[in-house]
Amino acid sequence: MKNILSEDPSPYLQQHKNNPVHWQTWNEVSLNQARTQKKPILLSIGYSSCHWCHVMAYESFEDQSTADLMNKFFINIKVDREERPDLDFVFQSSFQLFNQSGGGWPLTMFLDENGVPFMGGTYFPKEEKHGLPSFKTILLKVHEAYVEQRIKIIEQKNLITKNLELKKTNVIGQEPEPLLDKILDNLDDKNGGYKGAPKFPTFYVFETLIYFYNKTKNKKYLKPVELILKKLCSKGIYDHVEGGISRYTVDENWLIPHFEKMLYDNIQFILLLTKFIKIKSNDYFLKKVNQTTNFLRTNFISKDTNLLGSAFDADSEGVEGKYYVYNYDELKNVKDIKYFFDIRPEGNWEGKIILDELKEPNKEIIKQLFEIREKRKKPFFDKKNQLDLNCLWVSSLVSLNSILPNNGFLKEAENFYEKIEKKFCIKNIFHSFSEDISFIEDYAYLIQCLLDLSDATMNTKYRLLAKNYCNEAIRKFYDIDNKIFQKNEKNKNDIFMKPIDIGDNILPNANSIMLINFSRLGFNKEAKELSISLNGYLNVYKNFMISSIKAIDFYKEISAGKNCNTEGCTI
């Protein structure tokens, strides 16, 4: 065997093509190798801008002695989580079952020869530290366990599958307000977002709150939205020089980011800002909308397709945040900067300065900060195009048009959709690189953007396309037994169980989006069945299904004959 990652177009997999590890990709050939050789699989899932993925690669996957152990005892499979979100979903869920804690990346899972997980972790250090065993120790112990208990491990499949399968009750309806009040109780009324650290923006929570504000005009739903937007726009998570936000912060004050910039966060940031501005005009937020929109237009475009790529790395030249932070000596002579940002000789993060806004800076300050920064090497850009995220960008352009109708955003949305159609929709719908792989998220967000274009332009072709894609999604993804959409295509599932996902993650869950799509299109029978199904899951998993609260209520309002849109309902 040899490392075959050079044959895969994924930027993340390309980063590992020169590892001495005999990396394979997830396919029938590599899975069959495990079965025929009776070897366990070491599955490593990550993405190109993941800092700890880089650390583990440098420490272990580039180390010959570690690679020798991996090659000797395992079939080693590397997966880009953005190429195969279905695999990431199933094995993150498996990690959470085994460890009773949240997962993350890099995800390091050990599977039996049939592809069923039996143990896992995230980052393992090269040497034992911070209470974590060394990766080599893990490799040896897992190998020994598999040799000694192989049959017992293989026989665990049914038990593991049963524990991973989602539970459902017969509840067919529940009032949203008690569920929303529980969300509000968990929010940080000082710093915004959820209480504690690390802090993630969780945009789907605040979009749901905006929906219920538009419906009820109760300010308790709008206040937390305004608070988190103020924090996201002014603190260290925001890039004050070029625009856009980082994925999360490690502290509760939104100051110290994990510096990777993800497309999905920045599109949702723009969407939330525009929806808030429609309710309450805010010039400061509008400037942040414009800056972040221009950042995506100029920095996130993949030149070979003119579509949006996926992410910017947290690291440059091997150092996390190097591109974004400043030394005091670089800033001390910038006139009046101390009035606009928290600038101290000792810095505010590991002796460096993360820009933390005290007052909105003028253009000259930003210009000088950019001149310092542009001398540096930019972080790596993952130019991978993903259908669902590019469709969400179309929806955000339509939303931008609603607050800035004279800026050409609607025409830009139509033109951008034409590029999407040409790239992803000619022969069949597909997610990213492989033309054989699509996910329910791709269809959900494609249909959503077509309906948004239809509502904004009154062009019936978009609605007709949306209708056709809805029927196609039902055929390909709808699990009749569970009355829910599964993540991957039913007849192409190559995982040990059905990946049925009802929880919000980096985006609002595709089942909740499909319920809204059904309701907007008048698919009444399908909407009713999916609504009942989601209600059954909601009674068990309410903390993970925030967008479904909105979707179920939206369907209920539509079915009651009310005149609605996805941002609120009126009689």
Side-chain angles (χ1 to χ4, degrees):
M1 293 179 73
K2 64 175 184 177
N3 185 325
I4 64 165
L5 298 188
S6 62
E7 302 166 15
D8 193 283
S10 159
Y12 174 61
L13 269 55
Q14 285 289 316
Q15 290 173 352
H16 294 268
K17 67 183 179 182
N18 294 319
N19 293 168
V21 179
H22 295 163
W23 290 118
Q24 308 297 297
T25 56
W26 183 279
N27 54 44
E28 188 52 42
V29 173
S30 57
L31 296 174
N32 193 50
Q33 285 172 337
R35 285 190 291 267
T36 55
Q37 296 179 38
K38 294 183 171 53
K39 271 188 175 182
I41 294 167
L42 191 160
L43 177 65
S44 176
I45 302 179
Y47 57 102
S48 67
S49 59
C50 165
H51 171 71
W52 288 103
C53 299
H54 299 329
V55 173
M56 192 165 177
Y58 172 73
E59 291 180 345
S60 295
F61 302 149
E62 294 174 16
D63 176 67
Q64 186 65 56
S65 61
T66 305
D68 289 343
L69 286 176
M70 293 171 68
N71 297 335
K72 183 177 180 181
F73 297 135
F74 302 95
I75 301 296
N76 301 288
I77 297 179
K78 180 62 88 168
V79 168
D80 182 335
R81 66 135 170 155
E82 293 173 330
E83 271 194 294
R84 291 295 305 266
D86 54 337
L87 292 172
D88 188 51
F89 165 69
V90 167
F91 292 110
Q92 292 283 355
S93 300
S94 304
F95 171 91
Q96 290 160 21
L97 173 66
F98 298 157
N99 296 279
Q100 295 299 299
S101 64
W105 301 278
L107 183 66
T108 309
M109 295 298 293
F110 295 95
L111 323 182
D112 71 19
E113 61 209 61
N114 300 307
V116 181
F118 62 91
M119 186 208 151
T122 52
Y123 163 77
F124 290 109
K126 184 178 181 180
E127 307 295 339
E128 183 179 346
K129 61 181 177 182
H130 307 309
L132 291 171
S134 74
F135 189 45
K136 285 182 182 178
T137 299
I138 292 291
L139 295 173
L140 290 169
K141 286 188 176 297
V142 172
H143 164 66
E144 289 168 7
Y146 200 75
V147 169
E148 294 169 7
Q149 303 178 58
R150 174 176 163 265
I151 300 301
K152 188 176 179 182
I153 287 170
I154 291 171
E155 288 175 346
Q156 290 182 142
K157 177 185 176 180
N158 290 339
L159 180 63
I160 290 169
T161 304
K162 184 178 180 182
N163 278 288
L164 286 170
E165 286 174 348
L166 296 173
K167 313 296 185 290
K168 189 192 283 191
T169 69
N170 293 322
V171 173
I172 59 172
Q174 47 200 309
E175 289 302 312
E177 188 157 0
L179 302 176
L180 295 169
D181 284 343
K182 188 171 182 182
I183 294 168
L184 294 174
D185 287 343
N186 290 323
L187 296 181
D188 183 338
D189 58 11
K190 177 186 175 186
N191 295 307
Y194 278 110
K195 294 173 183 174
K199 286 271 197 195
F200 290 85
T202 55
F203 291 105
Y204 53 83
V205 172
F206 300 96
E207 281 223 13
T208 298
L209 293 178
I210 275 196
Y211 167 84
F212 281 100
Y213 170 77
N214 281 326
K215 180 185 169 186
T216 67
K217 303 305 177 188
N218 190 326
K219 290 184 179 179
K220 72 179 181 180
Y221 299 131
L222 190 63
K223 186 179 176 183
V225 181
E226 184 168 19
L227 177 59
I228 192 174
L229 287 175
K230 283 179 179 177
K231 296 297 183 179
L232 292 178
C233 288
S234 64
K235 305 299 287 183
I237 192 170
Y238 188 80
D239 181 356
H240 301 280
V241 179
E242 295 181 77
I245 60 169
S246 298
R247 191 163 77 92
Y248 69 93
T249 62
V250 299
D251 66 309
E252 66 178 0
N253 298 311
W254 302 102
L255 173 64
I256 304 165
H258 200 42
F259 292 90
E260 60 202 311
K261 283 183 176 178
M262 313 304 293
L263 178 63
Y264 56 77
D265 281 322
N266 283 283
I267 292 177
Q268 291 179 95
F269 178 51
I270 290 169
L271 271 168
L272 189 64
L273 280 165
T274 57
K275 289 183 179 185
F276 182 87
I277 292 167
K278 281 179 74 174
I279 297 166
K280 190 175 179 181
S281 181
N282 187 306
D283 289 341
Y284 176 68
F285 287 171
L286 192 60
K287 288 175 184 176
K288 301 299 184 180
V289 163
N290 280 318
Q291 188 183 30
T292 301
T293 300
N294 289 332
F295 170 72
L296 293 188
R297 284 163 152 176
T298 56
N299 291 276
F300 258 86
I301 295 293
S302 302
K303 292 178 182 176
D304 51 344
T305 61
N306 283 321
L307 294 170
L308 292 169
S310 296
F312 273 99
D313 206 331
D315 304 7
S316 54
E317 299 180 277
V319 179
E320 185 183 8
K322 184 174 182 179
Y323 180 73
Y324 299 103
V325 301
Y326 292 85
N327 296 314
Y328 178 74
D329 287 344
E330 292 176 306
L331 301 180
K332 65 182 181 182
N333 295 321
V334 176
K335 187 180 178 183
D336 295 333
I337 192 170
K338 65 182 180 180
Y339 298 113
F340 300 101
F341 295 104
D342 179 18
I343 306 299
R344 289 169 275 157
E346 68 273 19
N348 56 13
W349 177 65
E350 297 182 0
K352 307 287 186 182
I353 294 170
I354 295 169
L355 293 176
D356 184 14
E357 191 180 275
L358 303 174
K359 179 182 174 183
E360 186 182 349
N362 57 47
K363 289 182 180 179
E364 181 56 33
I365 294 282
I366 297 300
K367 179 173 176 286
Q368 290 183 65
L369 289 169
F370 182 71
E371 286 171 355
I372 296 169
R373 182 186 283 185
E374 69 177 343
K375 297 170 187 174
R376 304 168 181 170
K377 184 178 178 180
K378 267 195 165 187
F380 173 79
F381 174 57
D382 184 337
K383 65 178 185 176
K384 178 195 322 100
N385 306 137
Q386 298 176 70
L387 176 56
D388 53 351
L389 299 186
N390 275 273
C391 290
L392 190 58
W393 177 239
V394 173
S395 293
S396 76
L397 289 170
V398 174
S399 189
L400 280 162
N401 183 70
S402 68
I403 62 167
L404 296 165
N406 300 317
N407 288 31
F409 284 119
L410 187 55
K411 186 63 179 173
E412 185 178 342
E414 291 195 273
N415 291 340
F416 201 87
Y417 173 72
E418 287 180 10
K419 295 175 194 172
I420 290 173
E421 194 171 47
K422 185 177 178 181
K423 163 78 174 172
F424 288 109
C425 308
I426 298 299
K427 293 181 182 177
N428 56 280
I429 305 301
F430 62 97
H431 175 65
S432 184
F433 290 117
S434 173
E435 295 186 13
D436 296 322
I437 297 175
S438 64
F439 302 102
I440 187 56
E441 289 81 3
D442 297 312
Y443 279 82
Y445 286 97
L446 173 60
I447 295 162
Q448 176 182 268
C449 87
L450 287 166
L451 291 173
D452 291 342
L453 286 169
S454 174
D455 289 348
T457 65
M458 304 304 290
N459 188 329
T460 56
K461 75 174 183 180
Y462 296 122
R463 189 173 181 84
L464 182 60
L465 279 169
K467 207 168 190 176
N468 292 339
Y469 287 137
C470 237
N471 285 318
E472 193 174 308
I474 293 167
R475 288 196 307 273
K476 287 184 174 181
F477 299 95
Y478 195 69
D479 183 329
I480 296 171
D481 296 333
N482 292 295
K483 295 181 172 54
I484 202 82
F485 287 97
Q486 77 175 49
K487 207 166 182 73
N488 59 11
E489 292 186 43
K490 292 181 292 184
N491 65 354
K492 293 182 180 179
N493 186 28
D494 56 1
I495 314 174
F496 70 96
M497 64 177 291
K498 292 178 182 179
I500 294 176
D501 179 12
I502 44 83
D504 299 313
N505 198 300
I506 59 173
L507 296 175
N509 183 264
N511 275 286
S512 72
I513 299 297
M514 285 303 297
L515 177 54
I516 291 174
N517 290 340
F518 281 161
S519 303
R520 293 172 77 181
L521 277 167
F523 280 42
N524 299 326
K525 173 179 168 290
E526 293 84 353
K528 181 178 180 180
E529 185 171 277
L530 184 56
S531 175
I532 292 170
S533 184
L534 283 173
N535 255 310
Y537 288 116
L538 185 63
N539 200 45
V540 183
Y541 304 104
K542 56 180 70 75
N543 293 338
F544 308 101
M545 296 178 63
I546 310 301
S547 70
S548 290
I549 302 172
K550 167 184 169 179
I552 291 166
D553 187 81
F554 180 76
Y555 161 71
K556 192 166 78 171
E557 299 288 273
I558 288 278
S559 62
K562 294 183 180 178
N563 176 23
C564 295
N565 60 56
T566 54
E567 294 163 21
C569 285
T570 53
I571 300 296

